[in-house]
Amino acid sequence: MFEIEIRGLVKRLGGRTILRGIELTIEQGETLAVLGPSGSGKSTLLRCINALTPFDAGQIRVGDIVLRPGKVPRDVAIQVRRQLGMVFQDFALFPHLRAIDNVALGPRLVLGLTKEQARHRAVQLLQRVGLQHRAEAFPAQLSGGEKQRVAIARALAMEPKGLLCDEITSALDPELKWEVLSVLADLKKDGLTMVVVTHEVGFARRVADRLCILSDGQILEVGPPQQVLENPKTARVQQFLARVLT
Amino acid sequence: MDTGERLSPRARYGMLGFVVLTTPFLLTLGNPALGQSPTPSAPSDSGSGLPPLRWGADAEGGAPYIFYDPERPEQLIGFEVDLIRALERELGRRIEHQQYDFKKLVDGLERGDIDLAMNGLEITPDRQKRVRFSRPYYVFKLQLVTREGETEINSLRDCVEKQARVGTLENTAASRLLEQLRVPTFLYDSQVTPFEDLALGRLDAVLMDVPIVLYHGRNKPGLRLVEPLVSGRGYYAIAFRKDDEELARQFDVALERLLASGELRRIYETWGLWNASQEELYPPNQFGLELAREHTAPQSLEGWSFGSYFPLLLRAVWLTVELTVLSMAVAVVIGLIIAVCRLYGPYPLQLLALCYVEFFRGIPVLLLLYFLYFGLPAIGQVFGWDMALRWSPFVTAVLGLGLNYAAYEAEIYRAAISSIPRAQWEAAASLGLTPTQTFRYVILPQAIRIILPPSTTDFVALFKDTSLAGTITVVELSKQYQILSTSGADYRALVEIGVATALLYLLMAVPLGYLSRRLEERWHAGHLAEGRH
């Protein structure tokens, strides 16, 4: 049973407290959308889960791997990252590698696949995000939407059990967002566990199983999208949603 | 046009500054200050009313001819200084010393910078075409010096047969003789360093004018003067401009009087330079130009053609290329190590790397070359590992240039590597790559695109800096030019050689510069389009 369990997570940075005791469980196959104003700690939450940044108190469990406060030992970090793929707002593709090699690099170096096996897997994944015809293109030759889909394929190539998406459509023009979001919708159908930090309320309503509103390092509300969006319990959530929805 | 030449005064400067610290023997060289220094105790101007004459001579490492007194470094001494004083008295006219590079003395006369040149200047047919020589004032022979315990070499013939490595001063009777005999010759522009190299085992023998040997070789432990002297002789004379016939005549007469009065002999005896050969200066031998012409017939460069010197230049080109490529290889490897230490090493290592960069960027390459070439073996001798630290000139040049350029490369690499966005590290980490894998497969390949253009520029700079290797006897292109251009070739040949040398440099440097710009354009375009995360 693969789930992500977060208990009493506290993260401080330079005298500021970014996360103030987060309690959250993401179940296997669930898609959780995280909404919140900028600076609310959404990205930091993802980075803590993926061991990209250490935290100060609490505990995170990813499958059977447990992260504790303080510097994460390298082997533990690598184990966590093997289970979780991550997609970034600014794509972070490797600009010196063709699309296919961006996807094949991880399997080759980390999973120990041969070059042929890795490229074979890369082609399949590019197909899955609808980009098999762009396999030989360099990142600089791809549109924003295409770049982000390559980045998703790159994360999937490690065969993760979960996927962390950090505002992956924020850097895209509106007409390109749908192509990335529809890829996520497909992945949900395949049963991938996902934590999606986003500003796309429409996407959250249609695709997410649950919606989590984060503000000032605290969870204000968690629940089914319908319920949270239409009957928010607190005034702060109402205010935030009013701003986002208009 | 005169690239190599420009370096040499600086060269000797640096060396003196350094060597004086390491080898007490060299303290005798004293202060290499440049510029005018009036001859001490000039006689009262006996009413002549004429301006003082300017005497061109090179006081840097110029013992026993003219050099700074080690006891009183502001004071010039030497047998030629004594002779000038005697001439001042004879002529009743002040003569001021003007510091002048030995190899440029004839040019200096022609330019009018000096009125006479007297600096162990040997009468040669080539020089006679350009200047008016006085009667000779010294007859010199050549003497071979080798190491104590070296039993194989007892004559110049042995050097020829055993193909011994022989050091000498460039463009002298000795260098021409060695060249004619096809002995492996190492050319120096300092009188001191050949003896140093001989003692260190880089040379098997040194062949030089007797006065130099008497002064520098005699008291140096571990060296042996080979008797008898090399047969044949040369004449030192004072050079004047051809149109200064009247002045030259006055000096001829004055010299004759000094000779007749025994004053000249007294001066030479003071310096331990008197020997039987000097009898030749006396009548009835009718010393003078005829005699000189008869006995000194060094190879004239007249009729030198493109075909005769171009192979020499090409050989030097090859050496220059080798030197550049190998030095750059050293610089790249060490530079990368230093850059990685500075970026990712533990604090003490970071500090060490920073020290390396600041140190090697801060000291002149020339000084570094001298340190490695002369200083390290000297230090090594103290600790008993002198053999290990005694590198050949070529190896020394590669290491010296490599170590220096490594500091510049390290900074380029560091800047390039740290300019790769953090997101690249995180993206690689989130795929499960280790930091080492990330560096090798993600960061470095991107950094190289940033590194290559400035690195290529450095490569071109290094290529030109190889000319410094000429100062430690590596005959690369500039040194070869320098040797050819001071070999007494006429102006036409000089211009030809200069143009050919410059063209060879350009032929190698321009394509590199073009390549660098091309790379920059191509990679820069690609990178900017990516929008730099």
Side-chain angles (χ1 to χ4, degrees), chain B residues 168-186:
Chain B
T168 191
L169 290 172
E170 53 186 67
N171 193 26
T172 56
S175 72
R176 284 186 290 268
L177 180 60
L178 289 169
E179 199 178 317
Q180 277 170 14
L181 295 173
R182 303 199 175 282
V183 175
T185 308
F186 292 77

Side-chain angles (χ1 to χ4, degrees), chain A residues 47 50 52 74 78 81 84-86 88 90-97 102 105-106 108-110 139-140 147 154-155 158, chain B residues 422-438 441-443 445-446 449 525-527 529-531 533:
Chain A
R47 292 163 58 83
N50 207 22
L52 283 175
R74 187 181 292 172
I78 286 178
R81 292 169 191 158
L84 295 172
M86 186 150 177
F88 301 87
D90 55 9
F91 326 124
L93 289 180
F94 306 133
H96 62 297
L97 297 178
N102 261 277
L105 188 71
R108 203 155 68 79
L109 294 181
V110 181
K147 280 183 206 172
R154 180 175 69 177
M158 302 305 294
Chain B
R422 234 172 78 95
Q424 291 286 306
W425 284 94
E426 293 188 343
S430 71
L431 288 177
L433 268 65
T434 64
T436 317
Q437 286 174 327
T438 306
Y441 293 97
V442 176
I443 304 302
Q446 297 183 53
R449 287 157 168 73
H527 229 74
E530 172 64 10
H533 308 297

Side-chain angles (χ1 to χ4, degrees), chain A residues 78-144:
Chain A
I78 286 178
Q79 281 173 23
V80 168
R81 292 169 191 158
R82 287 280 298 273
Q83 312 231 19
L84 295 172
M86 186 150 177
V87 187
F88 301 87
Q89 175 178 353
D90 55 9
F91 326 124
L93 289 180
F94 306 133
H96 62 297
L97 297 178
R98 295 173 192 278
I100 186 168
D101 295 316
N102 261 277
V103 181
L105 188 71
R108 203 155 68 79
L109 294 181
V110 181
L111 304 180
L113 268 56
T114 65
K115 200 174 173 191
E116 287 69 36
Q117 290 170 328
R119 282 177 77 95
H120 182 69
R121 177 181 287 190
V123 170
Q124 286 180 323
L125 285 163
L126 286 174
Q127 203 158 13
R128 191 159 159 198
V129 297
L131 283 176
Q132 61 277 24
H133 60 291
R134 302 293 273 147
E136 298 300 324
F138 282 100
Q141 299 164 324
L142 298 172
S143 75

Side-chain angles (χ1 to χ4, degrees), chain B residues 14 67 103 152 168 280 305 329 344-345 368 370 378 411 452 470-471 480 502:
Chain B
F67 59 109
K103 284 177 300 216
E152 300 273 284
T168 191
E280 261 183 56
S305 63
Y344 312 121
L368 180 63
Y370 278 127
E411 282 302 276
L452 259 165
T471 57
Q480 186 64 67

Side-chain angles (χ1 to χ4, degrees), chain B residues 34-107:
Chain B
L34 288 164
Q36 269 196 0
S37 32
T39 317
S41 72
S44 53
D45 274 330
S46 50
S48 68
L50 290 166
L53 289 165
R54 292 161 301 167
W55 161 41
D58 196 340
E60 287 183 45
Y65 303 79
I66 166 172
F67 59 109
Y68 289 92
D69 189 342
E71 318 268 282
R72 298 162 60 198
E74 74 289 347
Q75 179 96 27
L76 277 171
I77 55 172
F79 77 86
E80 288 184 339
V81 176
D82 291 350
L83 180 52
I84 283 287
R85 269 187 228 154
L87 285 167
E88 277 182 325
R89 283 191 294 274
E90 288 295 329
L91 295 165
R93 190 164 173 190
R94 270 187 56 196
I95 303 175
E96 277 178 357
H97 170 243
Q98 171 87 46
Q99 170 60 30
Y100 223 87
D101 188 333
F102 175 79
K103 284 177 300 216
K104 294 277 139 199
L105 282 170
V106 172
D107 299 317

Side-chain angles (χ1 to χ4, degrees), chain B residues 2-5 103-104 168-172 175-176 179 185-189 301 304 309 312-313 315-316 469-471 473-489 494 497 501:
Chain B
D2 206 355
T3 48
E5 201 64 24
K103 284 177 300 216
K104 294 277 139 199
T168 191
L169 290 172
E170 53 186 67
N171 193 26
T172 56
S175 72
R176 284 186 290 268
E179 199 178 317
T185 308
F186 292 77
L187 298 175
Y188 294 79
D189 59 4
L301 286 182
W304 259 45
Y309 65 74
L312 287 174
L313 288 180
R315 205 166 59 197
T471 57
T473 78
V474 178
V475 185
E476 43 62 62
L477 189 50
S478 286
K479 183 70 173 182
Q480 186 64 67
Y481 164 74
Q482 193 181 338
I483 293 169
L484 288 174
S485 68
T486 55
S487 299
L494 265 178
I497 296 169
T501 308

